[in-house]
Amino acid sequence: MEECERRERILDAASEVLQKCGYHAASMDKVAQHSAMSKRTLYLMFHSKQDLFRTLVSSRLFNVSPGKCLHMADPVEELTELLMRLGSVILRPDRISLIRALVTESQQSEDIRQILTSLRAGGKDNVLTTWLDRYVRARNRSVADISMYSNMLFGMTIGDLMLQSLACAPDRAWIEQDMRPRFHKAVQIFLAGFAKDGPAAS
């Protein structure tokens, strides 16, 4: 088995154990059993339980790479397509279940709170921030805190549907049908306002 395949199997097992047992009861032994791997293999790939769960959260929720977006002539269409690809990953039922487990555990586990805080505050590039940065540079504009706008855009599109999914588990077909027109309208509103903010670069 290739290393990347072993890694994904371990992360799948860690997600399953977290959702079934909670973080405190989630041991490396249980993850090893669920992944059908030895504990030695786990420790070769992850230094500790916290390292394993940090990697799980980062890879499954924070470092989502939806693939290359076509550089379309129309920024609204390009950004809508990017959000669609991102949403199709983050709004999957298995990812929503993981988010639900993390929200529950964050109330009780300092480790989980530290993992979420450090990853959130880490300033790692994400696809929305990267796209917005390219967008403003192409227009010779300057924006002081582009990550704030990235978070705002995420909240009014994927974040909104994510909250609905967490709260009431809506029909998947409804989400998929509603996503594109909702994202398209949100992008139109966002870019119209975004274009007016920030001075032109000198």
Side-chain angles (χ1 to χ4, degrees), residues 1 3 5-15 17 26-53 55:
M1 188 184 299
E3 183 175 339
E5 189 179 345
R6 285 200 304 271
R7 181 178 181 277
E8 288 305 307
R9 183 184 285 190
I10 291 167
L11 292 176
D12 285 342
S15 179
V17 169
S27 64
M28 294 295 262
D29 281 322
K30 285 181 181 173
V31 174
Q33 289 171 359
H34 276 76
S35 65
M37 304 268 182
S38 70
K39 202 158 87 166
R40 181 176 179 275
T41 300
L42 262 67
Y43 278 109
L44 284 172
M45 302 185 81
F46 305 98
H47 303 303
S48 64
K49 170 182 161 179
Q50 189 177 36
D51 180 40
L52 169 59
F53 283 94
T55 304

